[in-house]
Amino acid sequence: MPPSLTSAGSARCVAIASLHSGAQPAARHLPPYVRALWDVAPHFARLAPAGPHGQVESTQSDAAGRQRPVLVTRSAVLPTPTLYLPVHWQQPTLLRAAVAHACAHLAHGNVPLQRGKLKPIQLALLGVLEDARVEARAIAELPGLRALWLPWHPAGVDTGNSFEALLQRVQRSLLDPQYTDPHPWVRKACTMYHAALETPEGMRQTASLLGNDLGQMRMPFNAQLYVVEPAYRDDNSHLWLSDPQAPPAVQPLNAPSDTQEGPAQGDSSTPLPQPIEQQAEAAAARPTAVYGEWDRLISRMRPRWCQVFEEDAPEGTPQACHALGLTLARHAALLARLKRVLQQGLPRTRAPVACGRAAEGEYFHLNALVKAVADQRMHRQPDPHIYLQPMRTSQPMHVLVLLDASVSTLRAAAGCASPESPETLLDILRESSLLAATALERAGHGCAVQAFASNTRHQVRVQRIKGFAEPAESPHTLARLAGIQGEWSTRLGAVLRHAGAQLRGYPRAHVVLLTDGQAHDVDVHDTRYLAADLTHAVQEVRRAGIAVSCLNVAGNDAASMAEHRAMQRALGVFSCFAMRGPADLPHQLLSCLAR
């Protein structure tokens, strides 16, 4: 919070005065204006003047220009949310923009979060993403608000490439649909924002990834001098819970949250952080995401029904990791065959790329155009190939392998009499996922691996084994894959919806289920309930442009065949294939991915 707002209630009351007292005549219309927007009625007050008395005029003017509105959603003194506005603000449009933005937080904001170990640069990024999220929600309800906020976002290419300038360019790109920024990091930030889940955890993960990128860019960042831009946006102090280890109230909330963690990520003297998908963060008390579920008895979706908790998979013993490493060596011939099949059998989707010159086309080749003009002035015959020649390059697939880690996978696999063969279905699934991920990477495609299990609808667990940026043969991937243990049940609908949410924005996205049978959970007694929900989940994910298929490790008995037929009814006959072991993987994986 700003220095004028202290934690003591009496000091806070001395620092504010009612806007109806005459200090801000332009603000008298704000209470009815807010009631016309949403059904929220915050208390309006003013901040104490910026800077102590006795400062030179230029210093006081600079301090006043750095003041931002402060939104207090919870207070022991005032029972209603309070918006503190700078006392020197007299522009009606600026006041309306600030009040509308603060009320958008009240109408669409989340509960305050723990700052934890987020760095100052990540706190600033998370504030920008949350501001964009609540403004997008508000514009969806009241489209005219875009015209109120957009004039305060003049950032563009001429603004510069500093951290503050890039943040302002990101803010304009997210607010203005007519503006496209050419900076790669700005474009990546917008893409990740639209692909992220609209949950506190999703925004937090996106901010961590973007902050990691800025650290790798050696982007300087001074947390003490950082000011939220544009001016109508508040300082975002209401996003965070009070932390006894946080800096005092007189220190800005963008200062380092933990003095033991070292300087900010933008400091070039600090080592580069690891990507977010390689960090082992503590499991959150709240679910990562909440999804609906189809109830066939009432023929409608039950909203916010299943809670999904995402976490890193535990690491296995060194002996288990060594055994998985030997699996790759033992199946070297099978792996080479699988790679060859994927390279030759998959359809090649190509993305357009502008390259080369052509005599006809839609866009000019700038270098060829300059050379043609120079040839004309030199009285030479210009080259007629002055257009860009469109070419196409291969576009890799992005495959997410979902590994069934329920308790049913601990039963003995059929036909495993040899001591070299896996003893359980989980061993077959574990080896198959490792071989598939390794072969896909060697064939030039991206692959991520996750395990799943469920303990009623209140606890659907998804364990991260491998991300798209991690090699399949790395020690960390082998350790997490070896640490997967079979327990709980199989609630496929919620897992599939979560996978679809993660893959949005990826080109040629594909979900491959590696399982041993149909969906089942202990809180569901209707055998057709979860199968019907799985059918609807598959349809939802496919409507988003993401392919879904299944490799079912089925046995020879009648019960296994009945479960396989149930999976085929849910996913489609040509999207669910039976597999006996890793030897069947090349043909069946190709059948899945070629659909």
Side-chain angles (χ1 to χ4, degrees):
M1 277 185 186
S4 58
L5 297 180
T6 62
S7 58
S10 59
R12 185 189 300 257
C13 293
V14 172
I16 65 174
S18 173
L19 290 181
H20 296 283
S21 63
Q24 282 181 303
R28 293 178 178 176
H29 69 287
L30 293 180
Y33 176 76
V34 171
R35 285 193 294 270
L37 290 177
W38 291 288
D39 189 17
V40 292
H43 175 73
F44 295 104
R46 67 174 178 87
L47 290 171
H53 296 288
Q55 284 185 338
V56 297
E57 184 178 353
S58 61
T59 305
Q60 288 183 348
S61 177
D62 180 72
R66 293 173 58 84
Q67 273 195 323
R68 293 295 179 263
V70 178
L71 177 63
V72 179
T73 57
R74 297 184 179 183
S75 173
V77 179
L78 298 174
T80 59
T82 305
L83 178 61
Y84 298 86
L85 294 168
V87 68
H88 64 280
W89 280 15
Q90 297 296 331
Q91 297 173 262
T93 55
L94 178 59
L95 290 171
R96 284 199 297 268
V99 169
H101 176 80
C103 292
H105 276 293
L106 294 177
H108 303 287
N110 295 312
V111 296
L113 306 173
Q114 292 285 351
R115 283 191 289 171
K117 294 186 177 181
L118 286 177
K119 301 295 183 181
I121 200 170
Q122 295 170 331
L123 293 175
L125 285 167
L126 191 54
V128 168
L129 297 180
E130 180 63 16
D131 286 341
R133 188 188 70 83
V134 298
E135 286 188 355
R137 289 282 190 90
I139 291 172
E141 292 185 6
L142 304 170
L145 290 176
R146 191 190 305 274
L148 176 65
W149 289 323
L150 195 55
W152 303 97
H153 292 265
V157 180
D158 299 335
T159 308
N161 294 325
S162 64
F163 171 74
E164 291 78 7
L166 290 180
L167 276 192
Q168 296 175 37
R169 292 163 68 173
V170 169
Q171 292 169 356
R172 181 182 176 185
S173 300
L174 295 177
L175 182 64
D176 187 0
Q178 306 299 325
Y179 174 75
T180 302
D181 198 283
H183 196 281
W185 183 84
V186 175
R187 298 173 65 179
K188 179 179 180 180
C190 296
T191 302
M192 293 182 63
Y193 166 81
H194 291 298
L197 296 174
E198 286 193 0
T199 60
E201 290 76 17
M203 294 291 106
R204 192 184 188 106
Q205 184 180 26
T206 303
S208 299
L209 284 170
L210 294 175
N212 173 56
D213 291 342
L214 292 175
Q216 294 180 356
M217 294 161 59
R218 298 291 196 251
M219 184 69 67
F221 174 63
N222 191 331
Q224 300 292 339
L225 300 179
Y226 173 74
V227 179
V228 175
E229 291 290 348
Y232 75 85
R233 289 186 172 179
D234 56 83
D235 66 349
N236 284 327
S237 57
H238 59 91
L239 298 180
W240 313 105
L241 291 172
S242 58
D243 189 350
Q245 297 181 353
V250 297
Q251 188 174 356
L253 281 179
N254 49 31
S257 59
D258 190 352
T259 56
Q260 303 298 326
E261 293 178 7
Q265 288 191 11
D267 190 359
S268 59
S269 64
T270 59
L272 295 179
Q274 292 181 340
I276 189 68
E277 58 186 359
Q278 295 181 9
Q279 296 176 358
E281 297 181 353
R286 294 189 301 273
T288 305
V290 182
Y291 299 97
E293 189 172 74
W294 176 262
D295 191 331
R296 74 173 192 88
L297 297 177
I298 61 177
S299 298
R300 66 184 63 184
M301 289 289 294
R302 292 187 177 271
R304 301 184 60 83
W305 195 248
C306 296
Q307 298 180 349
V308 175
F309 294 81
E310 188 175 338
E311 61 185 24
D312 284 337
E315 295 189 355
T317 62
Q319 295 80 4
C321 300
H322 181 67
L324 279 179
L326 294 179
T327 299
L328 291 175
R330 186 171 68 251
H331 294 294
L334 177 63
L335 194 58
R337 178 178 167 228
L338 183 57
K339 172 189 173 183
R340 185 171 61 255
V341 167
L342 292 176
Q343 287 178 332
Q344 297 176 358
L346 288 182
R348 295 182 177 273
T349 301
R350 297 184 177 272
V353 175
C355 181
R357 304 181 183 183
E360 297 179 354
E362 186 177 357
Y363 301 102
F364 285 112
H365 193 296
L366 296 182
N367 292 339
L369 204 59
V370 171
K371 188 176 184 304
V373 173
D375 288 340
Q376 283 183 339
R377 294 188 177 184
M378 296 295 292
H379 301 287
R380 294 193 299 240
Q381 180 67 26
D383 188 350
H385 298 80
I386 60 173
Y387 294 95
L388 286 172
Q389 180 182 7
M391 301 182 65
R392 305 184 77 85
T393 59
S394 296
Q395 191 176 28
M397 299 183 65
H398 291 82
V399 182
L400 175 57
V401 177
L402 295 177
L403 174 62
D404 188 353
S406 60
V407 70
S408 62
T409 61
L410 295 180
R411 68 179 187 267
C416 293
S418 173
E420 297 181 357
S421 300
E423 297 181 352
T424 64
L425 291 177
L426 182 59
D427 293 327
I428 294 179
L429 296 173
R430 186 185 287 117
E431 286 191 6
S432 300
S433 61
L434 177 60
L435 293 174
T438 305
L440 283 167
E441 284 189 352
R442 292 183 181 180
H445 303 283
C447 183
V449 182
Q450 297 178 354
F452 64 91
S454 64
N455 182 21
T456 73
R457 66 181 179 89
H458 300 289
Q459 193 173 7
V460 181
R461 184 180 63 192
V462 175
Q463 295 176 307
R464 296 182 293 267
I465 299 174
K466 175 193 174 303
F468 286 113
E470 295 177 291
E473 303 173 67
S474 67
H476 294 288
T477 301
L478 295 178
R480 288 193 287 263
L481 188 59
I484 295 298
Q485 302 295 326
E487 58 180 351
W488 296 354
S489 303
T490 311
R491 205 178 195 102
L492 291 172
V495 174
L496 196 55
R497 290 184 178 94
H498 187 63
Q502 295 178 83
L503 287 178
R504 284 192 178 94
Y506 283 95
R508 299 190 67 189
H510 200 121
V511 179
V512 176
L513 287 168
L514 274 177
T515 182
D516 67 326
Q518 63 180 357
H520 171 74
D521 211 340
V522 293
D523 62 339
V524 177
H525 305 289
D526 183 359
T527 57
R528 294 177 292 173
Y529 178 89
L530 291 179
D533 174 63
L534 175 60
T535 302
H536 279 78
V538 170
Q539 294 172 356
E540 293 174 20
V541 174
R542 286 174 177 169
R543 279 196 298 267
I546 302 170
V548 181
S549 54
C550 174
L551 285 177
N552 189 11
V553 182
N556 298 323
D557 56 307
S560 297
M561 296 306 298
E563 292 178 350
H564 177 63
R565 286 191 294 270
M567 290 294 293
Q568 283 185 328
R569 286 192 297 270
L571 282 86
V573 177
F574 299 104
S575 298
C576 184
F577 303 90
M579 186 179 69
R580 298 292 184 268
D584 298 337
L585 189 60
H587 174 71
Q588 303 293 26
L589 184 61
L590 178 61
S591 300
C592 286
L593 300 180
R595 300 297 304 172

